[in-house]
Amino acid sequence: MKSSMTFSTIVALFSAMVVLASIPSVSVLTVSTRSATSGFIHGVFTTLGSVFDAQSLIDLYRIIMLA
């Protein structure tokens, strides 16, 4: 089966990728909201939690912030 992309399919694919890349995901909105409401350090730990999704980061955050 031969497949090739025509100019119109390349333009359509590129357009779809641009639209999808420009829409922020839930994690971006979460980090932005947390940073705006609670400050930079909260945004950093929210980012780390989103990236690594680890319970240990939440525990580390509590230890640092509640100490």
Side-chain angles (χ1 to χ4, degrees), residues 1-42:
M1 180 176 179
K2 183 180 176 184
S3 76
S4 61
M5 293 182 70
T6 63
F7 180 73
S8 61
T9 57
I10 292 172
V11 170
L13 178 62
F14 180 77
S15 300
M17 293 173 78
V18 167
V19 169
L20 291 173
S22 66
I23 300 171
S25 65
V26 173
S27 61
V28 172
L29 295 175
T30 302
V31 171
S32 299
T33 302
R34 188 71 172 173
S35 297
T37 59
S38 300
F40 176 76
I41 193 70
H42 290 262

Side-chain angles (χ1 to χ4, degrees), residues 31 34-35 39-54 56-62 64-65:
V31 171
R34 188 71 172 173
S35 297
F40 176 76
I41 193 70
H42 290 262
V44 169
F45 279 100
T46 303
T47 302
L48 292 174
S50 293
V51 171
F52 296 109
D53 196 32
S56 60
L57 289 174
I58 295 170
D59 295 337
L60 178 64
Y61 170 78
R62 288 182 181 153
I64 292 172
M65 296 309 290

